[in-house]
Coordinates of all heavy atoms in Angstrom, one line a residue:
R406 N -2.1 0.7 -10.3 CA -0.7 0.6 -10.4 C 0.0 1.9 -10.0 O -0.4 3.0 -10.4 CB -0.3 0.3 -11.9 CG -0.9 -1.0 -12.4 CD -0.4 -1.4 -13.8 NE -1.0 -2.7 -14.2 CZ -0.5 -3.8 -13.8 NH1 0.6 -3.9 -13.0 NH2 -1.0 -5.0 -14.2
E407 N 1.1 1.8 -9.2 CA 1.8 2.9 -8.8 C 3.1 3.1 -9.7 O 3.8 2.1 -9.9 CB 2.3 2.8 -7.3 CG 1.2 3.1 -6.3 CD 1.7 3.1 -4.9 OE1 2.8 2.7 -4.6 OE2 0.9 3.4 -4.0
W408 N 3.3 4.3 -10.1 CA 4.5 4.6 -10.9 C 5.6 5.0 -10.0 O 5.5 5.9 -9.2 CB 4.1 5.7 -11.9 CG 5.1 6.0 -13.0 CD1 5.1 5.5 -14.3 CD2 6.3 6.8 -12.9 NE1 6.2 6.0 -15.0 CE2 6.9 6.8 -14.2 CE3 6.9 7.6 -11.9 CZ2 8.1 7.5 -14.4 CZ3 8.0 8.2 -12.2 CH2 8.6 8.2 -13.4
K409 N 6.8 4.4 -10.2 CA 7.9 4.7 -9.4 C 9.2 4.5 -10.2 O 9.4 3.5 -10.9 CB 8.0 3.9 -8.2 CG 9.2 4.2 -7.2 CD 9.1 3.3 -6.0 CE 10.2 3.5 -5.0 NZ 11.5 2.9 -5.6
R410 N 10.0 5.5 -10.2 CA 11.3 5.5 -10.9 C 12.4 6.1 -10.0 O 12.6 7.3 -10.1 CB 11.2 6.2 -12.3 CG 12.5 6.0 -13.2 CD 12.2 6.5 -14.6 NE 13.4 6.4 -15.4 CZ 13.5 6.8 -16.7 NH1 12.4 7.3 -17.3 NH2 14.6 6.6 -17.4
G411 N 12.9 5.3 -9.1 CA 13.8 5.9 -8.1 C 13.0 6.6 -7.0 O 11.8 6.4 -6.9
I412 N 13.6 7.5 -6.3 CA 13.0 8.3 -5.3 C 13.2 9.8 -5.7 O 14.3 10.2 -5.8 CB 13.6 8.0 -3.9 CG1 13.4 6.6 -3.5 CG2 12.9 8.9 -2.8 CD1 14.0 6.2 -2.2
V413 N 12.1 10.5 -5.8 CA 12.1 11.9 -6.2 C 13.0 12.7 -5.2 O 13.0 12.4 -4.0 CB 10.7 12.5 -6.3 CG1 10.0 12.6 -4.9 CG2 10.7 13.8 -6.9
N414 N 13.7 13.6 -5.8 CA 14.7 14.5 -5.0 C 15.9 13.8 -4.5 O 16.7 14.3 -3.8 CB 14.0 15.2 -3.8 CG 12.8 16.1 -4.3 OD1 12.9 16.7 -5.4 ND2 11.7 16.1 -3.5
K415 N 16.1 12.5 -5.0 CA 17.3 11.8 -4.7 C 18.0 11.5 -6.1 O 17.4 11.6 -7.1 CB 17.0 10.4 -4.1 CG 16.1 10.5 -2.8 CD 16.8 11.2 -1.7 CE 15.9 11.2 -0.4 NZ 16.6 11.9 0.7
P416 N 19.3 11.3 -6.1 CA 20.0 11.0 -7.3 C 19.3 10.0 -8.2 O 19.0 8.9 -7.7 CB 21.4 10.6 -6.9 CG 21.6 11.2 -5.6 CD 20.2 11.2 -4.9
G417 N 19.0 10.3 -9.4 CA 18.4 9.4 -10.3 C 16.9 9.2 -10.2 O 16.2 8.5 -10.9
G418 N 16.3 9.9 -9.2 CA 14.9 9.8 -8.9 C 14.0 10.7 -9.8 O 14.4 11.8 -10.1
W419 N 12.8 10.2 -10.2 CA 11.9 10.9 -11.0 C 10.6 11.1 -10.2 O 10.2 10.4 -9.3 CB 11.5 10.2 -12.3 CG 12.6 10.2 -13.3 CD1 13.9 9.9 -13.1 CD2 12.4 10.4 -14.7 NE1 14.6 10.0 -14.3 CE2 13.7 10.3 -15.3 CE3 11.3 10.7 -15.5 CZ2 13.9 10.5 -16.7 CZ3 11.5 10.9 -16.9 CH2 12.8 10.8 -17.4
S420 N 9.8 12.2 -10.6 CA 8.5 12.4 -10.1 C 7.5 12.1 -11.3 O 7.9 12.0 -12.4 CB 8.3 13.8 -9.6 OG 8.6 14.7 -10.5
Y421 N 6.2 11.9 -11.0 CA 5.2 11.6 -11.9 C 4.1 12.6 -12.0 O 3.5 13.0 -11.0 CB 4.6 10.2 -11.6 CG 3.7 9.6 -12.6 CD1 4.1 9.1 -13.8 CD2 2.3 9.6 -12.4 CE1 3.2 8.5 -14.7 CE2 1.4 9.1 -13.3 CZ 1.9 8.5 -14.5 OH 1.0 8.0 -15.4
H422 N 3.8 13.1 -13.2 CA 2.8 14.2 -13.4 C 1.9 13.9 -14.5 O 1.1 14.8 -15.0 CB 3.6 15.5 -13.5 CG 2.7 16.7 -13.3 ND1 2.4 17.5 -14.4 CD2 2.2 17.2 -12.2 CE1 1.7 18.5 -13.9 NE2 1.5 18.4 -12.6
A423 N 1.9 12.7 -15.1 CA 1.1 12.4 -16.3 C -0.3 12.3 -15.9 O -0.7 11.8 -14.8 CB 1.6 11.1 -16.9
K424 N -1.2 12.6 -16.9 CA -2.6 12.5 -16.6 C -3.3 12.3 -18.0 O -2.9 12.8 -19.0 CB -3.3 13.7 -15.9 CG -2.9 15.1 -16.4 CD -1.6 15.6 -15.9 CE -1.4 17.1 -16.0 NZ -1.4 17.7 -14.7
G425 N -4.3 11.4 -18.0 CA -5.0 11.2 -19.2 C -5.9 9.9 -19.2 O -6.0 9.2 -18.2
L426 N -6.5 9.6 -20.3 CA -7.4 8.5 -20.5 C -7.1 7.9 -21.9 O -7.0 8.6 -22.9 CB -8.8 8.9 -20.4 CG -9.9 7.9 -20.6 CD1 -9.9 6.8 -19.5 CD2 -11.3 8.5 -20.7
W427 N -7.0 6.6 -21.9 CA -6.9 5.8 -23.2 C -8.0 4.8 -23.2 O -8.3 4.1 -22.2 CB -5.6 5.1 -23.3 CG -4.3 5.9 -23.3 CD1 -3.6 6.2 -24.4 CD2 -3.6 6.5 -22.2 NE1 -2.4 7.0 -24.0 CE2 -2.5 7.1 -22.7 CE3 -3.9 6.5 -20.8 CZ2 -1.6 7.8 -21.8 CZ3 -3.0 7.1 -20.0 CH2 -1.9 7.8 -20.5
I428 N -8.6 4.6 -24.4 CA -9.7 3.6 -24.6 C -9.4 2.8 -25.8 O -9.0 3.3 -26.9 CB -11.1 4.2 -24.7 CG1 -11.4 5.0 -23.4 CG2 -12.1 3.1 -24.9 CD1 -12.7 5.8 -23.5
G429 N -9.5 1.5 -25.7 CA -9.3 0.6 -26.9 C -10.3 -0.5 -26.8 O -11.2 -0.6 -25.9
D430 N -10.2 -1.5 -27.7 CA -11.1 -2.6 -27.8 C -10.4 -3.8 -28.3 O -9.7 -3.8 -29.3 CB -12.3 -2.3 -28.7 CG -13.4 -3.3 -28.6 OD1 -13.2 -4.4 -28.1 OD2 -14.6 -3.0 -29.0
T431 N -10.4 -4.9 -27.5 CA -9.6 -6.1 -27.9 C -10.3 -7.0 -28.9 O -9.7 -8.0 -29.3 CB -9.3 -6.9 -26.6 OG1 -10.6 -7.3 -26.0 CG2 -8.5 -6.2 -25.6
D432 N -11.5 -6.6 -29.3 CA -12.1 -7.4 -30.4 C -11.2 -7.5 -31.6 O -10.7 -6.5 -32.0 CB -13.5 -6.8 -30.8 CG -14.6 -7.2 -30.0 OD1 -14.4 -8.1 -29.1 OD2 -15.8 -6.8 -30.2
G433 N -11.0 -8.7 -32.1 CA -10.1 -8.9 -33.2 C -8.7 -9.0 -32.8 O -7.8 -9.2 -33.7
G434 N -8.4 -9.0 -31.5 CA -7.0 -9.3 -31.0 C -6.1 -8.0 -31.0 O -4.9 -8.2 -30.9
D435 N -6.7 -6.8 -31.1 CA -5.8 -5.6 -31.1 C -6.4 -4.7 -30.0 O -7.5 -4.2 -30.1 CB -5.9 -5.0 -32.5 CG -5.0 -3.7 -32.6 OD1 -4.4 -3.3 -31.6 OD2 -4.9 -3.2 -33.7
S436 N -5.6 -4.4 -29.0 CA -6.0 -3.6 -27.9 C -5.4 -2.2 -27.9 O -5.6 -1.4 -26.9 CB -5.7 -4.3 -26.5 OG -4.3 -4.4 -26.4
R437 N -4.7 -1.8 -29.0 CA -4.2 -0.5 -29.1 C -5.2 0.6 -28.9 O -6.3 0.4 -29.4 CB -3.4 -0.3 -30.4 CG -2.2 -1.1 -30.6 CD -1.6 -0.9 -32.0 NE -2.6 -1.3 -33.0 CZ -2.5 -0.9 -34.3 NH1 -1.5 -0.2 -34.7 NH2 -3.5 -1.4 -35.1
P438 N -4.9 1.7 -28.2 CA -5.9 2.7 -28.1 C -6.4 3.3 -29.4 O -5.6 3.4 -30.3 CB -5.1 3.8 -27.3 CG -4.0 3.1 -26.7 CD -3.6 2.0 -27.6
M439 N -7.7 3.6 -29.4 CA -8.3 4.4 -30.5 C -8.6 5.8 -30.1 O -8.9 6.6 -30.9 CB -9.6 3.7 -30.9 CG -9.4 2.3 -31.6 SD -10.9 1.5 -32.0 CE -11.3 0.7 -30.4
L440 N -8.5 6.0 -28.7 CA -8.8 7.3 -28.2 C -7.9 7.6 -27.0 O -7.5 6.7 -26.3 CB -10.3 7.3 -27.7 CG -10.8 8.6 -27.0 CD1 -12.2 8.8 -27.2 CD2 -10.6 8.5 -25.4
T441 N -7.5 8.9 -26.9 CA -6.8 9.4 -25.7 C -7.2 10.8 -25.5 O -7.7 11.5 -26.4 CB -5.3 9.2 -25.9 OG1 -4.7 9.4 -24.6 CG2 -4.7 10.3 -26.8
C442 N -7.0 11.2 -24.2 CA -7.2 12.6 -23.8 C -5.9 13.2 -23.4 O -5.2 12.5 -22.6 CB -8.2 12.8 -22.7 SG -9.8 12.1 -23.0
I443 N -5.5 14.4 -23.9 CA -4.2 15.0 -23.5 C -4.5 16.4 -23.1 O -5.3 17.1 -23.7 CB -3.2 14.9 -24.7 CG1 -1.9 15.6 -24.4 CG2 -3.9 15.5 -26.0 CD1 -1.1 14.9 -23.4
G444 N -3.8 16.9 -22.0 CA -3.9 18.2 -21.6 C -3.6 18.4 -20.2 O -2.9 17.6 -19.5

Side-chain angles (χ1 to χ4, degrees):
R406 299 186 178 279
E407 283 186 352
W408 190 97
K409 180 176 178 287
R410 189 171 179 180
I412 300 176
V413 66
N414 300 323
K415 307 293 183 185
W419 286 46
S420 58
Y421 185 76
H422 196 249
K424 46 278 199 115
L426 175 68
W427 296 259
I428 300 176
D430 192 341
T431 57
D432 271 1
D435 184 354
S436 65
R437 291 175 302 163
M439 293 175 276
L440 176 146
T441 192
C442 302
I443 178 69

